[in-house]
Amino acid sequence: MTGNRTDPYPLTVEYVDGVVVLLDQAALPGVERYVRCEDWQRVAKAIVDLEVRGAPAIGITAAFGLALAADCSDSGSADDLLAELAGVAEALVATRPTAVNLVWAVETVLAEARASGGSAEDVRLAVTSAAQRLAAEDLATCRAIGDAGAGLLDGVDEVITHCNAGALATVGYGTALGVIRSAHRDNPALHVWADETRPVLQGARLTAFELDRDGIACTVIADGAAASVLRGSSVGAAIVGADRIAANGDVANKIGTYGLAVVARHHGVPFYVAAPLSTIDPDTPDGSVIEIEQRPAAEVAEYRGSAITPVGAVVHNPAFDVTPADLVDAIITEVGVLRAPFGPAIAEALGR
Ligand code: MRU
């Protein structure tokens, strides 16, 4: 792997020598291996199969997928190449509908490609440099989110999180786990309760993996244990990431987030959402219109290939839910901490 990072956790995604290289998150924590994508279709498959996941990470991966498509294309004119990339972009965006970072990253890269003018080679260079820049910015953005939110955890020794909004869900450092990392610098006693996050177990497999790498104390609990943990311990904050934040502050995130927010409010525990501005979708007025991805029934009905439900059991498997803005105490972004009323706070943060 390349890169000049000193982080203890592995790199989530990079584009090196015409190959998109991904840490295979479907195999973690048991096996640490990399997937090498040599065409954009393999990139799309990696996103669908959750070999790479997490809203910012899939956005950057799709951006690299476009770079790969441009580099592999034999289109000789800029117009032909741009038309081909528009088709690839559409296919990449269709892989996972809820995370707005995917659309945002692909549209950002395409806009720069269209503005590059000149030859097909100019388009190729523009696509690759835009994708590489977005990747570098993602890491810097996560560090800024971490530092912006760390103060919210002053005096907090116990925090709960859901899913994985960490280094693995981004290019590095993470959003919710970025805030935890920054707070941990000042308070090494900080302890994290990690919901296991049924059905794909991003909390048990990935959050526990990367916090262990970072030397941050972590206890994994079944999702159903969160309520009694919040009642019976001194948890001082809940903090999660987001896949899409509507203009009014409603938050789509991993299924189970809404339940955690309800329980946190019931127990007087502040509920924080950490996300880059690219996760805020000003064109989505509220959470009711966010498309929620439905995942295969087998994720619920099977465990490691073995059935855990009766044959023919009916399964409902939404990948995400929506937490209403009134259950959110703050949204932590790279430009600072946003508070209710979120509509105007978001508009100001986005410069609208
Ligand atoms: O299905 P996943 O694993 O992609 O879901 C990920 C989440 O819900 C994360 O909390 C969200 O993408 C934020 S990642 C910084």
Side-chain angles (χ1 to χ4, degrees), residues 25 47 50 52-58 96 99 101 138 142 161-170 174-177 197 200 202 205-206 240-244 252-255 257 274-276 279 293 295 299 319-320:
Q25 298 191 39
I47 297 173
L50 308 183
V52 60
R53 32 66 52 201
I58 61 178
R96 298 199 74 191
N101 305 64
D138 183 72
C142 285
T161 190
H162 189 74
C163 193
N164 172 268
L168 293 167
T170 60
T175 57
L177 294 193
T197 317
V200 181
Q202 290 94 332
R205 296 187 301 107
L206 307 176
V240 299
D243 280 78
R244 187 181 298 238
N253 191 49
K254 177 53 54 190
I255 190 75
T257 301
T279 300
E293 175 187 2
R295 299 279 310 169
E299 287 180 352
F320 303 100

